[in-house]
Amino acid sequence: MERNFTNRIPLVPLAILGKNKNTRNSLRGSLLRSVAFLFFMLFLSLSIFTGNSAYASNLTGPGVKSLSSQKELRAVWFSYLDWINMPKEEQAFRTEAAKVMDNLQKNGFQTIFLHVHSHSDSYGKKMTVFPYSKFMPGNGSFDPLEIMISEAKKKGISVHAWFNPYRVSSSMSKWENIPEDSIVKKWSRTSGEERNVLLHEGQYYINPSRAAGREALLASIKELLDNYAVDGIHFDDYFYPRVSLTEEGKRFDEPEYEEAKRQGETGSLTEYRRNQVSLLLKQVHSLCKERGVVFGVSPVPNLQSLRSSVAYFLDVDKIMASKDYIDYIMPQMYHGFRAKNGKGQEAPHAYMRSLGDWVNLTNSTGNQVELMLGLGLYRAGSTVWDGNPVSEWFTESDILKRQVEEARKTGIVKGYAVFAYQNLLEERAQRELGNLRSVFQN
């Protein structure tokens, strides 16, 4: 609804001001109060319609921000590997945190995706559902997450809390090093709860099909929102690992499916698994909507892979056709324009092909979800294999710039994030970054 404030402001003919001193003083005061009121209402209306964060969601309701508050999202992923490189002493950490935000600003970014949960751990001292992460500086003597958020806010940078939902262990965080009082370790040794965490091909995962796992993840997100001033929650592509429909050791959560069938489940195993991920997303989205923050997911770029019956189980077609699961989707478009497969043919994940697939999906599902893109700064200046005799990432230095330009032409893409912060500092990425910075000025 359009607001009209002018009919509330007394308009004073200037000629009246000359009649007498008392009248002049009275009317001058009235006029000044009116002008002050006008400027106040103008400020208020701008605050209502633009908000104070870098961007927000397509949600509606009190306290919820708007995606259109700026032209486009420009974000950087700050991973657990970036946390490891931060200083261990509080004052030095605070100084470096300020430098991180300065680096973002000078390169045209206004949002940071901060890792807060990478291996079923917590990166904030005020979070207790999962154990405090070994990747955090300071050994618990201060709260690095709180400092990073504080320094971001000083520079007007929006903060999204980044979760890997199901991963428990990896080569960087081995099962034997996880604290014994961790919820996942407790599950593993408690009768009736041991299948809340699953060992699969040498690594552990929270079981997506068990309510206890979802409840723990939701509780962790809730306590983060209760204690830290973040603007969004962000999931990446760590959903189901690659499973098998035939090999006994790779069946993962199939026993839960068999039990569900005995309870009346009628869908296929693939449908069942997709529904487990969708249920988690819907619950997280509901919590985020209640708190007035945005929720997005960053999956792999190849739609064929997402629709697979052996991995991920992110029901991309379903969640893109609804406003109930996510506010934005950000496929990891880390490949170049000339990406090829092993036979020398254009790869399904080649940039323009993948961009077209995502734009078509967004349009065909009624633009219910905002489309954004993850870009691979980490490849800049490298010889990473891309199917060409010499990698285009080594021979060219304007790939990300051209990717943004092509995305803008679609009129659909609402923003970008680059992976990862550490690559902003690498010498080999500077020419690519400079070209990207030039297009971010437009």
Side-chain angles (χ1 to χ4, degrees):
M1 181 181 294
E2 208 172 293
R3 287 177 169 84
N4 185 349
F5 300 117
T6 56
N7 59 358
R8 301 183 186 178
I9 300 173
L11 301 179
V12 184
L14 296 179
I16 297 178
L17 296 177
K19 285 189 175 179
N20 59 64
K21 183 176 181 181
N22 291 335
T23 301
R24 286 198 305 271
N25 289 341
S26 175
L27 290 174
R28 184 180 294 112
S30 176
L31 181 59
L32 290 174
R33 286 192 297 273
S34 299
V35 172
F37 177 79
L38 176 62
F39 276 103
F40 169 76
M41 296 311 296
L42 178 61
F43 171 80
L44 180 62
S45 64
L46 286 172
S47 300
I48 291 170
F49 290 118
T50 63
N52 61 359
S53 69
Y55 95 107
S57 78
N58 54 9
L59 302 170
T60 58
V64 178
K65 309 172 185 75
S66 167
L67 263 174
S68 60
S69 64
Q70 290 205 10
K71 279 201 306 184
E72 60 188 18
L73 174 81
R74 297 165 183 174
V76 174
W77 276 286
F78 191 93
S79 81
Y80 72 92
L81 297 175
D82 293 307
W83 280 113
I84 291 172
N85 292 328
M86 293 291 284
K88 306 299 185 285
E89 188 274 328
E90 182 174 0
Q91 188 53 51
F93 180 92
R94 190 178 297 276
T95 300
E96 188 63 27
K99 288 181 182 178
V100 168
M101 304 310 158
D102 286 339
N103 284 337
L104 263 60
Q105 275 196 327
K106 77 178 184 181
N107 284 293
F109 299 100
Q110 88 298 61
T111 303
I112 188 168
F113 294 164
L114 280 178
H115 231 159
V116 301
H117 178 109
S118 62
H119 296 80
S120 295
D121 48 6
S122 294
Y123 284 31
K125 285 188 65 178
K126 299 174 185 176
M127 300 168 68
T128 60
V129 174
F130 292 95
Y132 193 60
S133 177
K134 71 171 190 174
F135 300 120
M136 295 305 283
N139 296 317
S141 60
F142 61 97
D143 194 338
L145 179 59
E146 192 165 59
I147 292 173
M148 285 287 277
I149 293 172
S150 173
E151 293 301 321
K153 299 300 181 182
K154 289 178 184 178
K155 302 294 173 61
I157 292 173
S158 178
V159 178
H160 292 216
W162 167 18
F163 284 73
N164 297 128
Y166 299 134
R167 181 171 64 183
V168 174
S169 67
S170 73
S171 61
M172 292 292 291
S173 183
K174 298 184 183 299
W175 175 259
E176 54 267 28
N177 296 329
I178 295 173
E180 289 303 314
D181 61 352
S182 167
I183 189 171
V184 294
K185 281 285 185 76
K186 291 177 181 178
W187 283 337
S188 70
R189 58 177 182 260
T190 303
S191 178
E193 295 185 354
E194 59 267 39
R195 285 195 55 80
N196 291 345
V197 57
L198 299 177
L199 175 62
H200 180 76
E201 299 212 289
Q203 301 299 345
Y204 286 84
Y205 300 84
I206 289 177
N207 187 340
S209 294
R210 303 276 287 204
R214 287 194 301 274
E215 290 166 1
L217 287 166
L218 283 165
S220 183
I221 294 170
K222 183 178 184 299
E223 67 179 356
L224 180 131
L225 294 174
D226 285 342
N227 291 288
Y228 297 95
V230 300
D231 303 289
I233 300 296
H234 180 83
F235 281 6
D236 65 6
D237 60 331
Y238 279 91
F239 294 105
Y240 273 77
R242 189 171 188 84
V243 298
S244 173
L245 302 177
T246 56
E247 296 180 58
E248 186 64 34
K250 299 181 181 180
R251 296 172 68 184
F252 202 56
D253 62 345
E254 192 169 342
E256 280 69 36
Y257 170 65
E258 296 298 333
E259 176 60 28
K261 283 203 300 183
R262 288 190 285 272
Q263 301 296 324
E265 171 67 45
T266 59
S268 68
L269 177 56
T270 296
E271 290 169 334
Y272 173 80
R273 285 170 166 161
R274 287 174 179 163
N275 286 338
Q276 303 316 303
V277 175
S278 296
L279 178 57
L280 174 64
L281 297 184
K282 191 169 188 176
Q283 291 175 329
V284 174
H285 182 264
S286 178
L287 174 61
C288 288
K289 184 174 182 179
E290 174 188 314
R291 298 303 185 88
V293 301
V294 295
F295 175 47
V297 168
S298 183
V300 295
N302 189 347
L303 284 172
Q304 184 178 350
S305 297
L306 284 179
R307 292 166 178 151
S308 164
S309 60
V310 296
Y312 303 114
F313 299 98
L314 178 67
D315 196 343
V316 64
D317 299 286
K318 178 179 180 178
I319 66 173
M320 290 285 285
S322 171
K323 293 184 181 293
D324 294 334
Y325 298 94
I326 54 176
D327 300 310
Y328 70 87
I329 196 159
M330 182 179 279
Q332 296 171 18
M333 309 277 277
Y334 295 162
H335 300 278
F337 290 91
R338 296 189 283 112
K340 294 179 174 62
N341 60 23
K343 297 179 180 180
Q345 303 163 332
E346 182 185 54
H349 51 259
Y351 181 78
M352 290 303 293
R353 182 172 173 180
S354 193
L355 176 61
D357 289 343
W358 281 98
V359 168
N360 289 339
L361 178 60
T362 303
N363 284 329
S364 67
T365 51
N367 297 92
Q368 302 297 314
V369 171
E370 301 283 9
L371 175 62
M372 305 193 189
L373 306 181
L375 305 178
L377 180 64
Y378 73 98
R379 291 174 170 252
S382 77
T383 57
V384 60
W385 187 83
D386 64 356
N388 294 293
V390 180
S391 174
E392 68 177 303
W393 294 97
F394 185 73
T395 60
E396 301 175 27
S397 60
D398 63 347
I399 296 173
L400 301 187
K401 172 181 180 288
R402 289 185 288 122
Q403 288 180 338
V404 169
E405 289 172 337
E406 292 296 335
R408 285 176 175 172
K409 290 176 185 177
T410 69
I412 297 295
V413 178
K414 303 298 184 183
Y416 313 88
V418 302
F419 188 86
Y421 176 76
Q422 59 190 300
N423 306 111
L424 292 182
L425 311 177
E426 290 181 339
E427 182 61 33
R428 65 179 173 85
Q430 293 311 301
R431 290 180 62 196
E432 186 77 57
L433 185 60
N435 285 322
L436 178 63
R437 186 165 56 242
S438 71
V439 79
F440 273 179
Q441 293 174 351
N442 299 329

